[in-house]
Amino acid sequence: MTGYSESQLQGISRQFQIYGEILRAEACKIGHINETYIATYGQGGIPVRYVHQKINKNVFKKPDEVMENIMRVTGHIRDRLEDLGEKEVTRKVITVIPTRNGQPYYRDENGDYWRTFLFVENVRSYEAVESTEQAIEAGRGFGKFQNCLVDLQGERLHETIPFFHHSRKRFEAFKAAVEADKYRRAEHAMREIEFAFRREAMVDVLLDAMETGEIPERITHNDTKFNNVLLDLRTGKAMCVVDLDTVMPGLALYDFGDMVRTTTSPTLEDEKDLNRVEMRMEMFEALTRGFLTEVGPSLTPAEIRYVPFSGKLMALTIGLRFLTDYLSGDFYFRVHRPGHNLDRARTQFKLVESIERQEEEMGKVVERIMDRVS
Ligand code: GN1
Ligand code: MG
């Protein structure tokens, strides 16, 4: 990973509508895809923080479309919040700082795309959930986000990564990586490979339900990791949803499933002690309560039926992606140690097993909650 110095960032920032000098800057280690820096500027005599981010062009082939989506989505949410008379709107929705000639991104001399956001103060994100209150807030935060976008007018949003959560295509890519075994790593992942093959039937379930019209397309976030919702430092309430690169047409269940994947286990995504990885029912209940209180009334019966399944599917699908990347030489997700993507795949599959054991009980939890919110 390239590390940008403060003076290089200063050069980049001069392209944007920021009129101060950098006091300090640091690289932000969260996220596996883009390169992110948090920089403090002296502006009008007080320190103001901004986020500079280089968009990963290998992952996002059309960064201009990513930014077009983000401008529409954040603009719409801002309008909604202002109409509601909400305070502190710049802490509740991401603010894109335009370039000095009014563009949402700056393209540098290497052809890299940079964007700048206002840094949201007095919030933080967590890599692992610490309490049921946090789980409720995560559910509420992403639920509200989805609600805010139901009346977004105009053309369909761009698919910034086509077939992003298409679990059948993800499975086929995994199969191809096993067959190619380009890096001779399959022998180290035999158990995981077999685990995935035994669950192939799962990958078509939601795609089939979508085909028959049981499940509608909606505007969704598509990367609802727990660390993508910022919680207020003082109140612990969900303030702002971040990482909007994959906001596009999708399934409500993808968003919910990815929350289950990232918000119910006490462990990190790359936990090595698999005995610690588990789907905890109290976290599932809290998360579901938060999410369904917001969006439950607008979901179809089929969507509600698949709520417990969705967590299992997302854990399997993201696990397949980690495993595929491991087998293919670690070119997609940033890794910090050998075998990192394999470790990540293992935790996902452990979570799949944990959900399999509890799926029935999870269904009862969903029913109980729906009785209260509908
Ligand atoms: C990536 O970079 P980050 O952590 O926001 C990935 C998600 C995965 C996630 C797994 C564009 O998100 O789909 O669920 O890693 N984002 C993209 O941690 O591929
Ligand atoms: Mg992301």
Side-chain angles (χ1 to χ4, degrees):
M1 175 178 156
T2 345
Y4 281 77
S5 67
E6 289 174 5
S7 63
Q8 282 170 311
L9 290 173
Q10 175 82 282
I12 288 157
S13 78
R14 260 188 223 120
Q15 307 296 326
F16 293 89
Q17 294 185 27
I18 299 176
Y19 301 96
E21 71 284 358
I22 281 196
L23 302 177
R24 55 190 174 274
E26 65 200 62
C28 171
K29 305 254 160 47
I30 302 172
H32 304 328
I33 308 287
N34 294 320
E35 229 175 284
T36 308
Y37 299 89
I38 298 169
T40 309
Y41 290 76
Q43 201 170 269
I46 53 165
V48 181
R49 292 203 272 183
Y50 292 94
V51 177
H52 299 302
Q53 203 168 43
K54 188 169 92 180
I55 303 177
N56 184 327
K57 291 188 291 194
N58 296 326
V59 169
F60 297 102
K61 308 284 183 210
K62 297 180 179 167
D64 51 332
E65 293 191 352
V66 170
M67 292 312 292
E68 208 178 300
N69 279 1
I70 292 181
M71 297 308 283
R72 282 182 64 196
V73 164
T74 54
H76 182 76
I77 297 177
R78 184 173 318 106
D79 289 348
R80 288 274 306 245
L81 296 175
E82 283 172 358
D83 289 347
L84 291 168
E86 295 251 1
K87 297 202 172 65
E88 295 201 297
V89 170
T90 54
R91 293 184 70 225
K92 293 181 178 165
V93 61
I94 287 291
T95 308
V96 176
I97 307 294
T99 61
R100 293 193 183 179
N101 52 14
Q103 298 303 309
Y105 58 83
Y106 160 65
R107 199 158 170 242
D108 72 13
E109 60 282 2
N110 305 321
D112 283 320
Y113 289 73
W114 287 86
R115 61 187 172 193
T116 297
F117 302 115
L118 196 61
F119 183 83
V120 181
E121 297 288 349
N122 299 316
V123 290
R124 65 164 284 201
S125 66
Y126 297 78
E127 291 304 303
V129 67
E130 292 176 354
S131 66
T132 49
E133 286 75 24
Q134 288 186 342
I136 294 181
E137 286 305 311
R140 245 182 25 104
F142 285 116
K144 276 193 163 176
F145 181 84
Q146 209 170 95
N147 272 344
C148 271
L149 294 173
V150 288
D151 59 348
L152 181 74
Q153 304 293 318
E155 277 175 36
R156 194 168 178 265
L157 289 174
H158 300 293
E159 285 190 46
T160 55
I161 301 180
F163 303 111
F164 188 50
H165 287 316
H166 196 293
S167 31
R168 169 50 63 187
K169 288 199 192 292
R170 295 296 189 184
F171 194 86
E172 295 306 317
F174 154 71
K175 263 191 349 206
V178 175
E179 273 154 32
D181 195 16
K182 200 166 157 200
Y183 290 81
R184 300 256 171 276
R185 289 178 176 179
E187 59 178 313
H188 305 299
M190 282 327 289
R191 276 218 320 266
E192 290 69 31
I193 292 171
E194 281 163 20
F195 181 97
F197 273 111
R198 280 199 303 275
R199 283 160 183 81
E200 178 170 358
M202 266 169 61
V203 303
D204 295 317
V205 172
L206 293 190
L207 293 168
D208 290 348
M210 201 165 31
E211 187 98 340
T212 61
E214 265 190 310
I215 294 185
E217 178 181 284
R218 300 176 186 276
I219 298 176
T220 49
H221 182 283
N222 295 305
D223 191 5
T224 53
K225 271 167 95 164
F226 183 53
N227 68 9
N228 277 335
V229 57
L230 307 180
L231 305 182
D232 186 277
L233 279 185
R234 198 172 50 82
T235 64
K237 297 277 177 214
M239 291 302 285
C240 188
V241 163
V242 297
D243 193 356
L244 308 183
D245 296 332
T246 50
V247 177
M248 59 180 156
L251 296 184
L253 291 164
Y254 293 153
D255 276 5
F256 186 76
D258 208 25
M259 281 188 248
V260 175
R261 177 182 84 80
T262 56
T263 315
T264 61
S265 177
T267 49
L268 299 178
E269 196 173 58
D270 56 0
E271 173 66 55
K272 283 190 157 187
D273 180 359
L274 294 179
N275 291 322
R276 296 191 54 234
V277 180
E278 58 162 340
M279 201 303 296
R280 287 173 300 174
M281 198 60 80
E282 74 270 23
M283 292 298 168
F284 176 77
E285 169 144 28
L287 184 66
T288 309
R289 192 138 48 85
F291 187 68
L292 290 186
T293 306
E294 295 296 331
V295 306
S298 58
L299 297 183
T300 67
E303 283 177 306
I304 290 162
R305 210 169 54 244
Y306 287 119
V307 161
F309 173 80
S310 70
K312 191 171 75 167
L313 179 71
M314 290 308 285
L316 180 75
T317 309
I318 311 283
L320 283 172
R321 291 174 59 198
F322 286 142
L323 187 51
T324 304
D325 201 31
Y326 170 73
L327 295 171
S328 320
D330 302 315
F331 285 104
Y332 189 92
F333 297 106
R334 194 155 42 232
V335 288
H336 303 289
R337 59 177 189 246
H340 205 169
N341 273 318
L342 180 58
D343 290 341
R344 289 170 177 153
R346 285 180 171 146
T347 63
Q348 302 314 300
F349 291 170
K350 187 68 201 301
L351 210 50
V352 171
E353 278 181 328
S354 177
I355 297 176
E356 282 170 348
R357 278 196 301 273
Q358 305 180 75
E359 211 172 334
E360 219 180 291
E361 181 62 28
M362 290 161 80
K364 291 185 189 141
V365 167
V366 173
E367 273 173 32
R368 271 206 306 276
I369 293 171
M370 279 313 291
D371 282 344
R372 266 182 276 151
V373 303
S374 52

